[in-house]
């Protein structure tokens, strides 16, 4: 049994503070295989790989002044899929926040965001899927790309809290600004996903025709869609801000499997709805470039890390800490943006593995105070865009996909 425990990283404490009985910040990755999933082989794979990810396949122990990450003592059971992103119980969060499900040809991985961001989750999930295929299909799959060697010990750099290592400079606190919040009746706790698959090259080429990155292209179209909806519901317009998570590993040379992300907040102002789409997309591109520079990111990290490291904050009991953070987030957090758009990029699998995996999807839990979220992921030339919502009415995705189809069709 692994007796080692780990301090929570800088992002994890916020996710732990915000968890509620009916809402936890979780995500779900799904691989659709070329065959009916074999539960026995999947369990054997989990039995082999779980020790390789001690900070991901783990629980969170609450102590008087802090939380600790506690690796599991034995592999979690793989289970038939009971439904999409059912809120995690406190018992699950204490024992194991990694859930593996199967249904038909799908293998699903659900994780609590306090344990890892998308990069760490994909490393864990693809390693599990590769070992599953080795067992079931007797295929030799090399360790490369996102895959890890489950037989080796976890690497020290994979377990590090990268926020502590790369925060520097004068602390920078980002001012809060109210953003438009999408309407919708909150039908908790069921999550309604809506996904469309596009050829990756088609979306990438459309972005290039406009002279912007894919993330700027999609976030600009998303902001325009939300602004259209806002004009239907009110005459007094608010800014539309898209929260775009940014993986900091390449920027700072880190290989941690724990959380290491910050956010860009490109904004569409009232009046921008009159702009040609190309100009709007370039404004989003310019804002992203301005916000995503290493010095600025390091200063934001410095503010976050030093706030949590302050002696007064460290001496506050954990229950009171969580209450303070929940209150602050209620007024200055979620209302600071209209929606999250996470682009997880292109997942590259070894050529021996790729033919057995037909597609991959990511679903985010919608926010507690607004009904939507959006995730984008690409695999084998197929880009999957998935909206998740608590409300039954699919208003946003209908507007967004219509605008995206129009942009793709334009010469």
């Amino acid at each position: 049994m692994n007796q080692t425990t780990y301090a929570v990283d800088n992002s994890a404490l916020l996710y732990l503070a915000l968890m509620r009985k009916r809402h936890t910040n979780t995500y779900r990755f799904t691989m659709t295989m070329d065959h009916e999933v074999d539960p026995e082989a999947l369990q054997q794979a989990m039995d082999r790989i779980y020790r390789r990810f001690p900070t991901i396949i783990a629980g969170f122990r609450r102590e008087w002044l802090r939380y600790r990450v506690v690796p599991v003592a034995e592999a979690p059971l793989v289970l038939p899929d009971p439904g999409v992103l059912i809120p995690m119980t406190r018992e699950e969060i204490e024992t194991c926040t990694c859930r593996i499900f199967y249904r038909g040809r799908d293998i699903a991985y659900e994780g609590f965001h306090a344990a890892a961001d998308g990069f760490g989750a994909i490393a864990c999930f693809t390693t599990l899927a590769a070992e599953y295929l080795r067992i079931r299909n007797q295929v030799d799959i090399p360790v490369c790309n996102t895959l890890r060697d489950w037989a080796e010990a976890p690497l020290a750099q994979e377990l590090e809290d990268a926020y502590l290592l790369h925060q520097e400079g004068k602390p920078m606190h980002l001012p809060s600004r109210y953003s438009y919040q999408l309407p919708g009746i909150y039908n908790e706790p069921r999550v309604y996903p809506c996904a469309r698959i596009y050829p990756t090259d088609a979306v990438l080429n459309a972005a290039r025709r406009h002279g912007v990155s894919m993330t700027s292209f999609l976030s600009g179209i998303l902001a325009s869609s939300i602004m259209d909806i806002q004009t239907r519901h009110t005459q007094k317009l608010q800014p539309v801000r898209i929260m775009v998570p940014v993986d900091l590993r390449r920027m700072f040379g880190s290989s941690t499997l724990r959380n290491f992300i910050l956010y860009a907040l490109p904004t569409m102002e009232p009046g921008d709805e009159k702009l040609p789409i190309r100009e709007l997309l370039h404004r989003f591109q310019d804002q992203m470039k301005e916000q995503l520079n290493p010095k600025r990111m390091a200063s934001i990290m410095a503010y976050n890390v030093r706030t949590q490291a302050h002696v007064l904050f460290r001496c506050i009991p954990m229950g009171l800490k969580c209450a303070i953070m929940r209150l602050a987030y209620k007024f200055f957090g979620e209302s600071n943006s209209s929606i999250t758009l996470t682009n997880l990029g292109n997942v590259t699998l070894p050529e021996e593995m790729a033919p057995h995996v037909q597609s991959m999807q990511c679903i985010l839990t919608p926010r507690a105070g607004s009904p939507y979220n959006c995730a984008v992921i690409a695999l084998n030339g197929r880009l999957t865009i998935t909206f998740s919502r608590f409300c039954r009415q699919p208003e946003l995705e209908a507007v967004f996909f219509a605008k995206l189809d129009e942009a793709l069709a334009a010469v």
Side-chain angles (χ1 to χ4, degrees), residues 188-244:
E188 59 182 337
R190 181 177 176 182
V191 175
Y192 298 87
C194 177
R196 288 271 297 271
I197 298 176
Y198 291 87
T200 303
D201 286 346
V203 180
L204 187 59
N205 289 336
R208 287 171 176 165
R209 286 199 301 271
H210 286 89
V212 298
S213 69
M214 183 186 288
T215 301
S216 297
F217 177 71
L218 294 175
S219 60
I221 292 176
L222 181 56
S224 177
S225 303
I226 295 173
M227 187 65 81
D228 281 2
I229 291 172
Q230 183 179 188
T231 58
R232 298 175 186 175
H233 291 275
T234 181
Q235 292 183 333
K236 187 177 181 181
L237 300 182
Q238 300 285 347
V240 173
R241 305 181 86 189
I242 309 299
M243 180 176 282
V244 182

Side-chain angles (χ1 to χ4, degrees), residues 338-367:
S338 306
I339 194 172
T340 298
L341 171 69
T342 182
N343 182 3
L344 293 145
N346 185 59
V347 177
T348 304
L349 301 176
E351 61 181 18
E352 295 86 351
M353 182 179 176
H356 302 286
V357 183
Q358 294 187 339
S359 62
M360 192 167 178
Q361 180 185 24
C362 178
I363 307 174
L364 301 178
T365 299
R367 307 181 197 189

Side-chain angles (χ1 to χ4, degrees), residues 69-146:
V69 183
V70 183
V72 298
E74 56 186 27
L77 296 177
V78 304
L79 299 169
D81 193 352
V84 176
L85 291 172
I86 296 171
M88 289 187 176
T89 65
R90 287 196 175 272
E91 182 181 3
E92 285 180 294
I93 288 169
E94 290 172 0
T95 55
C96 183
T97 63
C98 173
R99 307 195 290 202
I100 304 298
F101 301 126
Y102 60 89
R103 176 190 293 167
R105 294 186 294 119
D106 289 346
I107 301 173
Y109 168 105
E110 291 189 1
F112 183 32
H113 214 319
D117 56 25
F119 181 91
I122 289 171
C124 182
F125 189 28
T126 55
T127 300
L128 172 67
E131 191 57 28
Y132 163 76
L133 289 171
R134 291 188 187 106
I135 294 169
R136 182 191 180 275
N137 293 4
Q138 301 296 307
V139 293
D140 184 18
I141 300 175
V143 175
C144 60
N145 304 323
T146 62

Side-chain angles (χ1 to χ4, degrees), residues 255-315:
S255 56
T256 184
L257 294 182
R258 306 179 75 183
N259 286 301
F260 195 39
I261 55 172
L262 286 175
Y263 301 90
L265 285 165
T267 303
M268 184 176 181
E269 301 287 352
D272 286 352
E273 67 274 12
K274 300 173 184 177
L275 295 173
I277 188 64
R278 184 180 181 86
E279 184 174 345
L280 175 65
L281 295 179
H282 275 270
R283 288 194 180 189
F284 265 57
Q285 175 96 329
D286 292 343
Q287 291 179 60
M288 295 276 285
K289 285 183 178 180
E290 180 181 354
Q291 294 178 31
L292 299 180
N293 69 77
K295 185 176 180 180
R296 184 177 184 273
M297 294 290 103
S299 294
I300 295 171
M301 281 190 276
Y303 177 85
N304 294 340
V305 168
R306 294 172 200 179
T307 298
Q308 289 189 13
H310 194 282
V311 63
L312 292 178
F313 188 83
R314 286 191 288 111
C315 292

